[in-house]
Structures are given as C-alpha cells and as structure tokens.
Amino acid sequence: DTGVSQDPRHKITKRGQNVTFRCDPISEHNRLYWYRQTLGQGPEFLTYFQNEAQLEKSRLLSNRFSAERPKGSFSTLEIQRTEQGDSAMYLCASSNTGGSTDTQYFGPGTRLTVL
Amino acid sequence: AQSVTQLDSQVPVFEEAPVELRCNYSSSVSVYLFWYVQYPNQGLQLLLKYLSGSTLVKSINGFEAEFNKSQTSFHLRKPSVHISDTAEYFCAVSDRFPTSGGYQKVTFGTGTKLQVIP
C-alpha cells in the first residue's frame, strides 16, 4: 500500500491556459474522489467515481472542469481556460467498498496558482 | 443537509499542556464522524473515526475523541501535546447511508490550526 499519489504537486499557470492533474489511488480502492480546498476552508467535494463511472458531480464543477477515470484506476482532472478563482489545492482521495464505511484516504494534493 | 462547525480557527497551546479542539455537527440522519490532520503543504491524513460501538475512539499518537449524540459533538482531545502536533485539524461528518450513486457524502469543517508553543 503506497498511498494515494498526485502529480504535479505544484502548478503555476497563466489565466486562460488549460491544466491537467493526475491522481493514482490506492491500488485496491474502487472509489475515487476529487476535492478542492481554498485557503482557510476545509475540502469541498467536486466529483466521485466508482470504478470508471463518474456517479456524482458537485455544482462547484463548472463546465470548464472535466474528470475522467478511463480504466477504473488513475484519474485526471482537467481545468480549461483557467481563472484566478481556480487557484486552490486540489485533493484526490480513494476508498474501498469492501468495508462497512467509506473511509477516504487522501493524497498530498496539487496546489494550483493561476496568475 | 449536514454541516460541521469548528468554532476555533486557531488554538495556541504550550508544549505538554492538554488541548481540546471542538467540533459540532448537524445532520438529519445517523452519521459517521472523522478527524483528519493536515501538515503544511500536505494532504489530509485520517487521525481517528467513529463508526459505531464505543463512543470514545483513540488514535495511535495519543489523541482521542468522544461522540456525544445528545450534544451532537465530536471533540478532539490530547492530554499532553508535542511540538510535532502543530498542524491543522479537520472534523468531518458522513451520512451512514449512501446517495443513489453510492456516494457517502462527507462534509468537512473549516479546520482548527493547532499551534504548539515550546
């Protein structure tokens, strides 16, 4: 168990550019989540996958955001035409349906700065 | 709808002193409760969780939390803090029952920064 990994750890981009982040969940976990965390706030839910199916999306996820999990393993989160308000830490978490609860384990996050 | 309130945004405490970080929640259904810790520039790490059974749950590094249903609280305590406990702590609540998509919605509080003073 190597934990949840995310790449890159930091991303600085100019307004209007597109960015893509990657998340590799714990290998046996079939559920994957994306969250956004802004300064002084707790994580806010963006979207959820069970295997390759995207089953929940928050209203926070505007049409500039898209997430995929093509083979039910790693996931990507793309932000198109970035805005300064997109600056935040983007966290990925994974969990397993095998237990009685859905305890989520988080990766280290990708910090996005939009100039 | 569920919500989590962490009234204290920052808690300074001297090393080896006790600490309590407060968490209150509201939910219309039965819940699971969690405390996560976040060190600077890192993701969240699960500290402890309450699922069922004993209302007092403990972590391996000396923290404990008690689920109080009547007061809808899940306060985090440690009898003697160490410099290495300096971090931000997030309380979270999850519905016991998933949504139609199978997702157990987790709502986080705004966090409490614990600053341990030497």
PDB file of all heavy atoms in Angstrom, chain B residues 11-45:
ATOM      1  N   VAL B  11      -5.838  27.511  17.764  1.00  0.00           N
ATOM      2  CA  VAL B  11      -5.697  27.191  19.178  1.00  0.00           C
ATOM      3  C   VAL B  11      -4.211  27.128  19.512  1.00  0.00           C
ATOM      4  O   VAL B  11      -3.517  26.195  19.085  1.00  0.00           O
ATOM      5  CB  VAL B  11      -6.370  25.851  19.531  1.00  0.00           C
ATOM      6  CG1 VAL B  11      -6.056  25.453  20.971  1.00  0.00           C
ATOM      7  CG2 VAL B  11      -7.875  25.929  19.310  1.00  0.00           C
ATOM      8  N   PRO B  12      -3.691  28.138  20.227  1.00  0.00           N
ATOM      9  CA  PRO B  12      -2.307  28.060  20.681  1.00  0.00           C
ATOM     10  C   PRO B  12      -2.256  27.361  22.038  1.00  0.00           C
ATOM     11  O   PRO B  12      -3.111  27.597  22.892  1.00  0.00           O
ATOM     12  CB  PRO B  12      -1.912  29.530  20.805  1.00  0.00           C
ATOM     13  CG  PRO B  12      -3.204  30.238  21.084  1.00  0.00           C
ATOM     14  CD  PRO B  12      -4.322  29.415  20.520  1.00  0.00           C
ATOM     15  N   VAL B  13      -1.272  26.508  22.223  1.00  0.00           N
ATOM     16  CA  VAL B  13      -1.152  25.791  23.494  1.00  0.00           C
ATOM     17  C   VAL B  13       0.317  25.507  23.746  1.00  0.00           C
ATOM     18  O   VAL B  13       1.088  25.262  22.809  1.00  0.00           O
ATOM     19  CB  VAL B  13      -1.990  24.486  23.457  1.00  0.00           C
ATOM     20  CG1 VAL B  13      -1.486  23.548  22.373  1.00  0.00           C
ATOM     21  CG2 VAL B  13      -2.001  23.805  24.797  1.00  0.00           C
ATOM     22  N   PHE B  14       0.729  25.565  25.016  1.00  0.00           N
ATOM     23  CA  PHE B  14       2.116  25.276  25.351  1.00  0.00           C
ATOM     24  C   PHE B  14       2.378  23.780  25.284  1.00  0.00           C
ATOM     25  O   PHE B  14       1.490  22.948  25.549  1.00  0.00           O
ATOM     26  CB  PHE B  14       2.465  25.812  26.735  1.00  0.00           C
ATOM     27  CG  PHE B  14       2.618  27.313  26.755  1.00  0.00           C
ATOM     28  CD1 PHE B  14       1.623  28.117  27.292  1.00  0.00           C
ATOM     29  CD2 PHE B  14       3.757  27.910  26.233  1.00  0.00           C
ATOM     30  CE1 PHE B  14       1.755  29.505  27.303  1.00  0.00           C
ATOM     31  CE2 PHE B  14       3.901  29.288  26.240  1.00  0.00           C
ATOM     32  CZ  PHE B  14       2.895  30.089  26.767  1.00  0.00           C
ATOM     33  N   GLU B  15       3.608  23.449  24.931  1.00  0.00           N
ATOM     34  CA  GLU B  15       4.020  22.050  24.855  1.00  0.00           C
ATOM     35  C   GLU B  15       3.776  21.369  26.206  1.00  0.00           C
ATOM     36  O   GLU B  15       3.978  21.963  27.264  1.00  0.00           O
ATOM     37  CB  GLU B  15       5.501  21.983  24.494  1.00  0.00           C
ATOM     38  CG  GLU B  15       5.982  20.607  24.077  1.00  0.00           C
ATOM     39  CD  GLU B  15       7.411  20.614  23.564  1.00  0.00           C
ATOM     40  OE1 GLU B  15       8.129  21.621  23.780  1.00  0.00           O
ATOM     41  OE2 GLU B  15       7.816  19.611  22.945  1.00  0.00           O
ATOM     42  N   GLU B  16       3.313  20.146  26.139  1.00  0.00           N
ATOM     43  CA  GLU B  16       2.988  19.278  27.293  1.00  0.00           C
ATOM     44  C   GLU B  16       1.688  19.680  27.996  1.00  0.00           C
ATOM     45  O   GLU B  16       1.301  19.011  28.958  1.00  0.00           O
ATOM     46  CB  GLU B  16       4.138  19.213  28.293  1.00  0.00           C
ATOM     47  CG  GLU B  16       5.415  18.597  27.700  1.00  0.00           C
ATOM     48  CD  GLU B  16       6.537  18.448  28.711  1.00  0.00           C
ATOM     49  OE1 GLU B  16       6.322  18.770  29.898  1.00  0.00           O
ATOM     50  OE2 GLU B  16       7.631  18.012  28.312  1.00  0.00           O
ATOM     51  N   ALA B  17       1.024  20.703  27.533  1.00  0.00           N
ATOM     52  CA  ALA B  17      -0.281  21.069  28.090  1.00  0.00           C
ATOM     53  C   ALA B  17      -1.372  20.264  27.385  1.00  0.00           C
ATOM     54  O   ALA B  17      -1.175  19.781  26.270  1.00  0.00           O
ATOM     55  CB  ALA B  17      -0.533  22.562  27.904  1.00  0.00           C
ATOM     56  N   PRO B  18      -2.552  20.132  28.018  1.00  0.00           N
ATOM     57  CA  PRO B  18      -3.666  19.442  27.348  1.00  0.00           C
ATOM     58  C   PRO B  18      -4.343  20.361  26.335  1.00  0.00           C
ATOM     59  O   PRO B  18      -4.243  21.583  26.411  1.00  0.00           O
ATOM     60  CB  PRO B  18      -4.613  19.127  28.513  1.00  0.00           C
ATOM     61  CG  PRO B  18      -4.342  20.207  29.502  1.00  0.00           C
ATOM     62  CD  PRO B  18      -2.885  20.536  29.383  1.00  0.00           C
ATOM     63  N   VAL B  19      -5.047  19.759  25.386  1.00  0.00           N
ATOM     64  CA  VAL B  19      -5.757  20.544  24.378  1.00  0.00           C
ATOM     65  C   VAL B  19      -7.072  19.869  24.034  1.00  0.00           C
ATOM     66  O   VAL B  19      -7.204  18.645  24.097  1.00  0.00           O
ATOM     67  CB  VAL B  19      -4.907  20.718  23.099  1.00  0.00           C
ATOM     68  CG1 VAL B  19      -4.739  19.402  22.347  1.00  0.00           C
ATOM     69  CG2 VAL B  19      -5.510  21.777  22.181  1.00  0.00           C
ATOM     70  N   GLU B  20      -8.055  20.699  23.704  1.00  0.00           N
ATOM     71  CA  GLU B  20      -9.332  20.204  23.185  1.00  0.00           C
ATOM     72  C   GLU B  20      -9.689  21.023  21.957  1.00  0.00           C
ATOM     73  O   GLU B  20      -9.725  22.253  22.012  1.00  0.00           O
ATOM     74  CB  GLU B  20     -10.438  20.320  24.234  1.00  0.00           C
ATOM     75  CG  GLU B  20     -11.797  19.861  23.687  1.00  0.00           C
ATOM     76  CD  GLU B  20     -12.913  19.966  24.713  1.00  0.00           C
ATOM     77  OE1 GLU B  20     -13.464  21.079  24.854  1.00  0.00           O
ATOM     78  OE2 GLU B  20     -13.247  18.953  25.358  1.00  0.00           O
ATOM     79  N   LEU B  21      -9.950  20.357  20.857  1.00  0.00           N
ATOM     80  CA  LEU B  21     -10.407  21.005  19.635  1.00  0.00           C
ATOM     81  C   LEU B  21     -11.880  20.633  19.462  1.00  0.00           C
ATOM     82  O   LEU B  21     -12.230  19.461  19.412  1.00  0.00           O
ATOM     83  CB  LEU B  21      -9.590  20.524  18.423  1.00  0.00           C
ATOM     84  CG  LEU B  21      -8.076  20.668  18.536  1.00  0.00           C
ATOM     85  CD1 LEU B  21      -7.407  20.232  17.246  1.00  0.00           C
ATOM     86  CD2 LEU B  21      -7.673  22.084  18.894  1.00  0.00           C
ATOM     87  N   ARG B  22     -12.714  21.672  19.349  1.00  0.00           N
ATOM     88  CA  ARG B  22     -14.147  21.433  19.370  1.00  0.00           C
ATOM     89  C   ARG B  22     -14.726  21.200  17.979  1.00  0.00           C
ATOM     90  O   ARG B  22     -14.306  21.834  17.007  1.00  0.00           O
ATOM     91  CB  ARG B  22     -14.863  22.604  20.047  1.00  0.00           C
ATOM     92  CG  ARG B  22     -14.488  22.771  21.518  1.00  0.00           C
ATOM     93  CD  ARG B  22     -15.215  23.946  22.120  1.00  0.00           C
ATOM     94  NE  ARG B  22     -14.784  25.207  21.537  1.00  0.00           N
ATOM     95  CZ  ARG B  22     -15.420  26.360  21.744  1.00  0.00           C
ATOM     96  NH1 ARG B  22     -16.526  26.392  22.470  1.00  0.00           N
ATOM     97  NH2 ARG B  22     -14.951  27.473  21.202  1.00  0.00           N
ATOM     98  N   CYS B  23     -15.700  20.295  17.941  1.00  0.00           N
ATOM     99  CA  CYS B  23     -16.401  20.006  16.693  1.00  0.00           C
ATOM    100  C   CYS B  23     -17.857  19.721  17.010  1.00  0.00           C
ATOM    101  O   CYS B  23     -18.157  18.862  17.836  1.00  0.00           O
ATOM    102  CB  CYS B  23     -15.783  18.804  15.985  1.00  0.00           C
ATOM    103  SG  CYS B  23     -16.721  18.217  14.553  1.00  0.00           S
ATOM    104  N   ASN B  24     -18.751  20.427  16.375  1.00  0.00           N
ATOM    105  CA  ASN B  24     -20.179  20.150  16.457  1.00  0.00           C
ATOM    106  C   ASN B  24     -20.712  19.914  15.057  1.00  0.00           C
ATOM    107  O   ASN B  24     -20.254  20.530  14.098  1.00  0.00           O
ATOM    108  CB  ASN B  24     -20.924  21.308  17.122  1.00  0.00           C
ATOM    109  CG  ASN B  24     -20.634  21.383  18.606  1.00  0.00           C
ATOM    110  OD1 ASN B  24     -19.673  22.023  19.020  1.00  0.00           O
ATOM    111  ND2 ASN B  24     -21.441  20.709  19.399  1.00  0.00           N
ATOM    112  N   TYR B  25     -21.665  19.034  14.940  1.00  0.00           N
ATOM    113  CA  TYR B  25     -22.207  18.712  13.632  1.00  0.00           C
ATOM    114  C   TYR B  25     -23.720  18.775  13.668  1.00  0.00           C
ATOM    115  O   TYR B  25     -24.341  18.758  14.741  1.00  0.00           O
ATOM    116  CB  TYR B  25     -21.758  17.315  13.181  1.00  0.00           C
ATOM    117  CG  TYR B  25     -22.393  16.208  13.982  1.00  0.00           C
ATOM    118  CD1 TYR B  25     -23.571  15.602  13.559  1.00  0.00           C
ATOM    119  CD2 TYR B  25     -21.833  15.785  15.186  1.00  0.00           C
ATOM    120  CE1 TYR B  25     -24.179  14.612  14.312  1.00  0.00           C
ATOM    121  CE2 TYR B  25     -22.434  14.799  15.942  1.00  0.00           C
ATOM    122  CZ  TYR B  25     -23.594  14.216  15.502  1.00  0.00           C
ATOM    123  OH  TYR B  25     -24.197  13.246  16.253  1.00  0.00           O
ATOM    124  N   SER B  26     -24.312  18.872  12.508  1.00  0.00           N
ATOM    125  CA  SER B  26     -25.761  18.736  12.393  1.00  0.00           C
ATOM    126  C   SER B  26     -26.058  17.836  11.209  1.00  0.00           C
ATOM    127  O   SER B  26     -25.397  17.920  10.166  1.00  0.00           O
ATOM    128  CB  SER B  26     -26.442  20.094  12.213  1.00  0.00           C
ATOM    129  OG  SER B  26     -26.102  20.643  10.966  1.00  0.00           O
ATOM    130  N   SER B  27     -27.017  16.949  11.423  1.00  0.00           N
ATOM    131  CA  SER B  27     -27.418  16.034  10.367  1.00  0.00           C
ATOM    132  C   SER B  27     -28.775  15.469  10.720  1.00  0.00           C
ATOM    133  O   SER B  27     -29.087  15.285  11.897  1.00  0.00           O
ATOM    134  CB  SER B  27     -26.402  14.895  10.214  1.00  0.00           C
ATOM    135  OG  SER B  27     -26.843  13.969   9.236  1.00  0.00           O
ATOM    136  N   SER B  28     -29.552  15.182   9.713  1.00  0.00           N
ATOM    137  CA  SER B  28     -30.888  14.634   9.942  1.00  0.00           C
ATOM    138  C   SER B  28     -30.879  13.110   9.996  1.00  0.00           C
ATOM    139  O   SER B  28     -31.890  12.497  10.284  1.00  0.00           O
ATOM    140  CB  SER B  28     -31.846  15.098   8.837  1.00  0.00           C
ATOM    141  OG  SER B  28     -31.344  14.714   7.574  1.00  0.00           O
ATOM    142  N   VAL B  29     -29.714  12.524   9.749  1.00  0.00           N
ATOM    143  CA  VAL B  29     -29.621  11.065   9.740  1.00  0.00           C
ATOM    144  C   VAL B  29     -28.450  10.627  10.607  1.00  0.00           C
ATOM    145  O   VAL B  29     -27.654  11.441  11.070  1.00  0.00           O
ATOM    146  CB  VAL B  29     -29.448  10.528   8.305  1.00  0.00           C
ATOM    147  CG1 VAL B  29     -30.661  10.880   7.465  1.00  0.00           C
ATOM    148  CG2 VAL B  29     -28.185  11.086   7.684  1.00  0.00           C
ATOM    149  N   SER B  30     -28.339   9.316  10.794  1.00  0.00           N
ATOM    150  CA  SER B  30     -27.199   8.791  11.553  1.00  0.00           C
ATOM    151  C   SER B  30     -25.916   9.039  10.780  1.00  0.00           C
ATOM    152  O   SER B  30     -25.897   9.021   9.551  1.00  0.00           O
ATOM    153  CB  SER B  30     -27.384   7.292  11.787  1.00  0.00           C
ATOM    154  OG  SER B  30     -28.515   7.058  12.580  1.00  0.00           O
ATOM    155  N   VAL B  31     -24.845   9.243  11.525  1.00  0.00           N
ATOM    156  CA  VAL B  31     -23.602   9.674  10.887  1.00  0.00           C
ATOM    157  C   VAL B  31     -22.408   8.856  11.320  1.00  0.00           C
ATOM    158  O   VAL B  31     -22.424   8.149  12.327  1.00  0.00           O
ATOM    159  CB  VAL B  31     -23.316  11.158  11.200  1.00  0.00           C
ATOM    160  CG1 VAL B  31     -24.409  12.058  10.645  1.00  0.00           C
ATOM    161  CG2 VAL B  31     -23.143  11.372  12.696  1.00  0.00           C
ATOM    162  N   TYR B  32     -21.361   8.957  10.509  1.00  0.00           N
ATOM    163  CA  TYR B  32     -20.015   8.583  10.895  1.00  0.00           C
ATOM    164  C   TYR B  32     -19.255   9.895  11.103  1.00  0.00           C
ATOM    165  O   TYR B  32     -19.544  10.898  10.452  1.00  0.00           O
ATOM    166  CB  TYR B  32     -19.322   7.789   9.789  1.00  0.00           C
ATOM    167  CG  TYR B  32     -19.983   6.482   9.415  1.00  0.00           C
ATOM    168  CD1 TYR B  32     -20.291   6.183   8.088  1.00  0.00           C
ATOM    169  CD2 TYR B  32     -20.281   5.513  10.381  1.00  0.00           C
ATOM    170  CE1 TYR B  32     -20.880   4.979   7.731  1.00  0.00           C
ATOM    171  CE2 TYR B  32     -20.871   4.313  10.033  1.00  0.00           C
ATOM    172  CZ  TYR B  32     -21.169   4.051   8.698  1.00  0.00           C
ATOM    173  OH  TYR B  32     -21.753   2.861   8.346  1.00  0.00           O
ATOM    174  N   LEU B  33     -18.262   9.860  11.974  1.00  0.00           N
ATOM    175  CA  LEU B  33     -17.508  11.074  12.293  1.00  0.00           C
ATOM    176  C   LEU B  33     -16.014  10.810  12.176  1.00  0.00           C
ATOM    177  O   LEU B  33     -15.541   9.712  12.504  1.00  0.00           O
ATOM    178  CB  LEU B  33     -17.848  11.556  13.702  1.00  0.00           C
ATOM    179  CG  LEU B  33     -19.282  12.062  13.866  1.00  0.00           C
ATOM    180  CD1 LEU B  33     -19.714  12.019  15.316  1.00  0.00           C
ATOM    181  CD2 LEU B  33     -19.419  13.478  13.316  1.00  0.00           C
ATOM    182  N   PHE B  34     -15.289  11.807  11.721  1.00  0.00           N
ATOM    183  CA  PHE B  34     -13.863  11.665  11.456  1.00  0.00           C
ATOM    184  C   PHE B  34     -13.104  12.902  11.925  1.00  0.00           C
ATOM    185  O   PHE B  34     -13.643  14.011  11.941  1.00  0.00           O
ATOM    186  CB  PHE B  34     -13.608  11.526   9.938  1.00  0.00           C
ATOM    187  CG  PHE B  34     -14.396  10.443   9.261  1.00  0.00           C
ATOM    188  CD1 PHE B  34     -15.684  10.686   8.815  1.00  0.00           C
ATOM    189  CD2 PHE B  34     -13.851   9.188   9.065  1.00  0.00           C
ATOM    190  CE1 PHE B  34     -16.425   9.687   8.180  1.00  0.00           C
ATOM    191  CE2 PHE B  34     -14.583   8.187   8.434  1.00  0.00           C
ATOM    192  CZ  PHE B  34     -15.869   8.440   7.988  1.00  0.00           C
ATOM    193  N   TRP B  35     -11.859  12.696  12.300  1.00  0.00           N
ATOM    194  CA  TRP B  35     -10.898  13.777  12.429  1.00  0.00           C
ATOM    195  C   TRP B  35      -9.740  13.482  11.482  1.00  0.00           C
ATOM    196  O   TRP B  35      -9.192  12.378  11.476  1.00  0.00           O
ATOM    197  CB  TRP B  35     -10.369  13.900  13.857  1.00  0.00           C
ATOM    198  CG  TRP B  35     -11.244  14.697  14.760  1.00  0.00           C
ATOM    199  CD1 TRP B  35     -12.149  14.232  15.671  1.00  0.00           C
ATOM    200  CD2 TRP B  35     -11.290  16.132  14.877  1.00  0.00           C
ATOM    201  NE1 TRP B  35     -12.762  15.267  16.330  1.00  0.00           N
ATOM    202  CE2 TRP B  35     -12.241  16.449  15.865  1.00  0.00           C
ATOM    203  CE3 TRP B  35     -10.605  17.176  14.242  1.00  0.00           C
ATOM    204  CZ2 TRP B  35     -12.541  17.764  16.236  1.00  0.00           C
ATOM    205  CZ3 TRP B  35     -10.893  18.472  14.612  1.00  0.00           C
ATOM    206  CH2 TRP B  35     -11.848  18.756  15.599  1.00  0.00           C
ATOM    207  N   TYR B  36      -9.384  14.504  10.689  1.00  0.00           N
ATOM    208  CA  TYR B  36      -8.231  14.437   9.804  1.00  0.00           C
ATOM    209  C   TYR B  36      -7.225  15.493  10.259  1.00  0.00           C
ATOM    210  O   TYR B  36      -7.594  16.548  10.760  1.00  0.00           O
ATOM    211  CB  TYR B  36      -8.629  14.729   8.354  1.00  0.00           C
ATOM    212  CG  TYR B  36      -9.340  13.605   7.635  1.00  0.00           C
ATOM    213  CD1 TYR B  36     -10.714  13.446   7.743  1.00  0.00           C
ATOM    214  CD2 TYR B  36      -8.637  12.714   6.827  1.00  0.00           C
ATOM    215  CE1 TYR B  36     -11.375  12.421   7.068  1.00  0.00           C
ATOM    216  CE2 TYR B  36      -9.286  11.685   6.143  1.00  0.00           C
ATOM    217  CZ  TYR B  36     -10.652  11.552   6.276  1.00  0.00           C
ATOM    218  OH  TYR B  36     -11.299  10.536   5.605  1.00  0.00           O
ATOM    219  N   VAL B  37      -5.935  15.231  10.014  1.00  0.00           N
ATOM    220  CA  VAL B  37      -4.883  16.191  10.306  1.00  0.00           C
ATOM    221  C   VAL B  37      -4.167  16.524   8.994  1.00  0.00           C
ATOM    222  O   VAL B  37      -3.986  15.654   8.135  1.00  0.00           O
ATOM    223  CB  VAL B  37      -3.892  15.647  11.359  1.00  0.00           C
ATOM    224  CG1 VAL B  37      -3.242  14.352  10.914  1.00  0.00           C
ATOM    225  CG2 VAL B  37      -2.819  16.689  11.697  1.00  0.00           C
ATOM    226  N   GLN B  38      -3.836  17.805   8.861  1.00  0.00           N
ATOM    227  CA  GLN B  38      -3.137  18.261   7.656  1.00  0.00           C
ATOM    228  C   GLN B  38      -1.899  19.043   8.064  1.00  0.00           C
ATOM    229  O   GLN B  38      -2.002  20.104   8.676  1.00  0.00           O
ATOM    230  CB  GLN B  38      -4.058  19.132   6.794  1.00  0.00           C
ATOM    231  CG  GLN B  38      -3.460  19.515   5.451  1.00  0.00           C
ATOM    232  CD  GLN B  38      -4.437  20.266   4.565  1.00  0.00           C
ATOM    233  OE1 GLN B  38      -5.264  21.044   5.055  1.00  0.00           O
ATOM    234  NE2 GLN B  38      -4.356  20.041   3.259  1.00  0.00           N
ATOM    235  N   TYR B  39      -0.737  18.520   7.703  1.00  0.00           N
ATOM    236  CA  TYR B  39       0.519  19.229   7.935  1.00  0.00           C
ATOM    237  C   TYR B  39       0.765  20.179   6.765  1.00  0.00           C
ATOM    238  O   TYR B  39       0.220  19.988   5.683  1.00  0.00           O
ATOM    239  CB  TYR B  39       1.658  18.225   8.115  1.00  0.00           C
ATOM    240  CG  TYR B  39       1.454  17.337   9.312  1.00  0.00           C
ATOM    241  CD1 TYR B  39       0.953  16.041   9.175  1.00  0.00           C
ATOM    242  CD2 TYR B  39       1.720  17.796  10.607  1.00  0.00           C
ATOM    243  CE1 TYR B  39       0.739  15.231  10.276  1.00  0.00           C
ATOM    244  CE2 TYR B  39       1.496  16.994  11.713  1.00  0.00           C
ATOM    245  CZ  TYR B  39       1.004  15.718  11.533  1.00  0.00           C
ATOM    246  OH  TYR B  39       0.777  14.933  12.630  1.00  0.00           O
ATOM    247  N   PRO B  40       1.564  21.206   6.950  1.00  0.00           N
ATOM    248  CA  PRO B  40       1.763  22.216   5.907  1.00  0.00           C
ATOM    249  C   PRO B  40       2.120  21.605   4.558  1.00  0.00           C
ATOM    250  O   PRO B  40       2.980  20.731   4.467  1.00  0.00           O
ATOM    251  CB  PRO B  40       2.908  23.062   6.465  1.00  0.00           C
ATOM    252  CG  PRO B  40       2.769  22.935   7.941  1.00  0.00           C
ATOM    253  CD  PRO B  40       2.313  21.530   8.185  1.00  0.00           C
ATOM    254  N   ASN B  41       1.423  22.057   3.526  1.00  0.00           N
ATOM    255  CA  ASN B  41       1.657  21.639   2.142  1.00  0.00           C
ATOM    256  C   ASN B  41       1.473  20.140   1.916  1.00  0.00           C
ATOM    257  O   ASN B  41       2.084  19.565   1.011  1.00  0.00           O
ATOM    258  CB  ASN B  41       3.052  22.062   1.682  1.00  0.00           C
ATOM    259  CG  ASN B  41       3.214  23.567   1.713  1.00  0.00           C
ATOM    260  OD1 ASN B  41       2.352  24.292   1.231  1.00  0.00           O
ATOM    261  ND2 ASN B  41       4.294  24.038   2.313  1.00  0.00           N
ATOM    262  N   GLN B  42       0.658  19.529   2.734  1.00  0.00           N
ATOM    263  CA  GLN B  42       0.378  18.110   2.560  1.00  0.00           C
ATOM    264  C   GLN B  42      -1.120  17.868   2.498  1.00  0.00           C
ATOM    265  O   GLN B  42      -1.923  18.747   2.798  1.00  0.00           O
ATOM    266  CB  GLN B  42       0.991  17.298   3.711  1.00  0.00           C
ATOM    267  CG  GLN B  42       2.506  17.332   3.742  1.00  0.00           C
ATOM    268  CD  GLN B  42       3.067  16.383   4.778  1.00  0.00           C
ATOM    269  OE1 GLN B  42       2.451  15.381   5.125  1.00  0.00           O
ATOM    270  NE2 GLN B  42       4.258  16.690   5.269  1.00  0.00           N
ATOM    271  N   GLY B  43      -1.492  16.673   2.085  1.00  0.00           N
ATOM    272  CA  GLY B  43      -2.899  16.290   2.070  1.00  0.00           C
ATOM    273  C   GLY B  43      -3.373  15.928   3.468  1.00  0.00           C
ATOM    274  O   GLY B  43      -2.638  16.056   4.444  1.00  0.00           O
ATOM    275  N   LEU B  44      -4.610  15.487   3.538  1.00  0.00           N
ATOM    276  CA  LEU B  44      -5.200  15.141   4.834  1.00  0.00           C
ATOM    277  C   LEU B  44      -4.880  13.696   5.206  1.00  0.00           C
ATOM    278  O   LEU B  44      -4.922  12.796   4.366  1.00  0.00           O
ATOM    279  CB  LEU B  44      -6.722  15.299   4.783  1.00  0.00           C
ATOM    280  CG  LEU B  44      -7.263  16.709   4.961  1.00  0.00           C
ATOM    281  CD1 LEU B  44      -6.960  17.564   3.766  1.00  0.00           C
ATOM    282  CD2 LEU B  44      -8.763  16.671   5.203  1.00  0.00           C
ATOM    283  N   GLN B  45      -4.587  13.483   6.476  1.00  0.00           N
ATOM    284  CA  GLN B  45      -4.351  12.131   6.988  1.00  0.00           C
ATOM    285  C   GLN B  45      -5.445  11.814   8.000  1.00  0.00           C
ATOM    286  O   GLN B  45      -5.745  12.623   8.867  1.00  0.00           O
ATOM    287  CB  GLN B  45      -2.990  12.048   7.674  1.00  0.00           C
ATOM    288  CG  GLN B  45      -1.811  12.356   6.780  1.00  0.00           C
ATOM    289  CD  GLN B  45      -0.505  12.377   7.553  1.00  0.00           C
ATOM    290  OE1 GLN B  45      -0.353  11.701   8.565  1.00  0.00           O
ATOM    291  NE2 GLN B  45       0.458  13.141   7.070  1.00  0.00           N
TER     292      GLN B  45
END
